[in-house]
Amino acid sequence: MKELKRVLVGLDVTEKSNNVLKRALSIANEHKADLFIVHAVRTPWIGVPSYFGGKDIVIDHQSIAKNIEKKIKPLNREFKVNCFVFVKEGNPHDIILYESKLNQIDMIIIGAHSKTKRRKGFLGTTAQKVAHLSHIPVLIVKNSAKTPYKNIIAPTDFGMQSKQSILFAKDIFPSAKISVVNAFDTIYMEGPYAVVGRDLSQYNDVAKSCAKSDLKNFMQEVSLKKGKVIDGELYTKETLVNYIKDGQYDLVIVGSRGTVGLNALLGSVANYILRETSKDVLIYVP
């Protein structure tokens, strides 16, 4: 069983960060883990030297840390998690990744922080970079954190990364229900890559049958009871995102790397899900 002893949350105090803190406090409390709150202060690339009449830029780390502690206090009354606040200067993703290695963190939690009004909950630059460069699992919080995760969906290609990500989620969120979904590739027309003379509908039936068989074996391996094979149609990525959108899921699990072939998960499919879904996302890194 995977133990979470140290959890790091990347905090942007200029954003509505209560949901990120609440989720981080809840998870840390459930696992009796310490919580490291890291806030990165961006500094100007070029300062104006004082001998030219400019003023030295002074960052009041202590005041910022006190404001963060003040923000945490009412949220932590219920949990009483051990919290450690760090205020650093630099690019947020660099600071978060550096501190996660320095403090031997087990999982990073960060908000989506999208500034585009019409794309609420979608990934901002910092979250994207942390998600792609992290050496440990990353939880991207896009929604309110009123209750623990209850319904988790795991798109799968039946590969080892997918299996490991599900087993990790079972350890971290033991009370949640986890379902798996596989979108099998279909062919609708003859083309340069199709086998001439074959009945395409027959091919798709065979592909679906194989996917169902693989799903059954996969679910036995990870001890899950609920799963589904869906027709990927012409646009597998969009089909998966729409399937997730229509379900009552509060968390999506994706692997950090793809395996091989058309069903490689992160590759393009998992990356697309990460960007486009409005659900919280857990990116598993082995």
Side-chain angles (χ1 to χ4, degrees):
M1 180 175 178
K2 174 66 178 179
E3 289 187 71
L4 288 188
K5 297 181 179 179
R6 296 184 168 199
V7 177
L8 183 149
V9 55
L11 188 68
D12 187 344
V13 294
T14 63
E15 299 285 342
K16 295 180 180 179
S17 52
N18 277 7
N19 287 327
V20 183
L21 278 173
K22 286 178 182 177
R23 183 65 68 189
L25 287 165
S26 176
I27 292 172
N29 174 67
E30 185 173 359
H31 293 272
K32 309 302 179 187
D34 292 332
L35 185 62
F36 294 70
I37 297 99
V38 176
H39 173 64
V41 180
R42 292 183 181 273
T43 53
W45 179 53
I46 299 178
V48 180
S50 58
Y51 51 80
F52 284 132
K55 294 182 179 179
D56 292 333
I57 298 171
V58 178
I59 306 297
D60 191 344
H61 295 75
Q62 190 173 7
S63 294
I64 296 173
K66 285 183 178 180
N67 287 334
I68 294 173
E69 290 168 359
K70 186 178 179 180
K71 186 181 185 72
I72 295 169
K73 190 174 181 179
L75 301 175
N76 197 25
R77 285 197 185 107
E78 177 185 355
F79 304 114
K80 296 180 174 59
V81 170
N82 290 329
C83 296
F84 305 91
V85 177
F86 298 88
V87 178
K88 304 287 184 176
E89 297 177 37
N91 291 323
H93 69 276
D94 288 333
I95 297 298
I96 291 169
L97 295 171
Y98 175 78
E99 292 295 329
S100 68
K101 291 182 179 180
L102 183 66
N103 292 287
Q104 299 181 323
I105 299 299
D106 299 307
M107 185 168 73
I108 295 171
I109 301 177
I110 189 171
H113 292 175
S114 175
K115 296 181 180 179
T116 306
K117 294 180 180 179
R118 289 180 295 179
R119 291 171 66 85
K120 182 180 178 181
F122 288 73
L123 243 57
T125 304
T126 298
Q128 282 184 334
K129 289 182 178 179
V130 171
H132 285 282
L133 298 175
S134 177
H135 66 293
I136 57 176
V138 178
L139 175 63
I140 309 278
V141 178
K142 301 186 179 187
N143 299 286
S144 64
K146 296 179 180 179
T147 59
Y149 294 122
K150 295 179 180 179
N151 294 298
I152 299 174
I153 183 69
T156 181
D157 61 356
F158 309 129
M160 183 56 66
Q161 282 281 328
S162 179
K163 179 180 178 180
Q164 291 176 340
S165 68
I166 292 171
L167 295 176
F168 175 79
K170 290 180 71 174
D171 285 343
I172 303 306
F173 309 112
S175 61
K177 295 179 181 179
I178 303 178
S179 303
V180 293
V181 60
N182 171 261
F184 71 97
D185 297 302
T186 54
I187 300 175
Y188 289 96
M189 62 183 68
E190 295 284 357
Y193 301 106
V195 179
V196 178
R198 292 293 181 88
D199 185 339
L200 296 182
S201 63
Q202 183 181 17
Y203 168 86
N204 291 335
D205 288 342
V206 172
K208 186 174 183 178
S209 177
C210 291
K212 285 185 174 181
S213 177
D214 290 340
L215 177 67
K216 183 178 179 180
N217 294 332
F218 183 82
M219 289 171 61
Q220 290 177 345
E221 291 178 358
V222 294
S223 300
L224 292 180
K225 296 181 179 180
K226 192 172 182 180
K228 188 173 183 178
V229 170
I230 62 175
D231 186 340
E233 300 177 351
L234 292 175
Y235 305 99
T236 304
K237 296 179 287 186
E238 290 87 341
T239 301
L240 277 171
V241 168
N242 288 333
Y243 178 84
I244 293 167
K245 179 182 177 182
D246 293 338
Q248 299 298 314
Y249 305 112
D250 44 29
L251 180 65
V252 185
I253 307 168
V254 297
S256 63
R257 298 175 182 85
T259 51
V260 293
L262 294 175
N263 289 324
L265 201 53
L266 200 82
S268 61
V269 176
N271 190 42
Y272 184 86
I273 293 172
L274 174 63
R275 292 197 326 266
E276 299 299 327
T277 185
S278 60
K279 314 291 185 179
D280 290 7
V281 181
L282 173 64
I283 302 128
Y284 172 74
V285 182

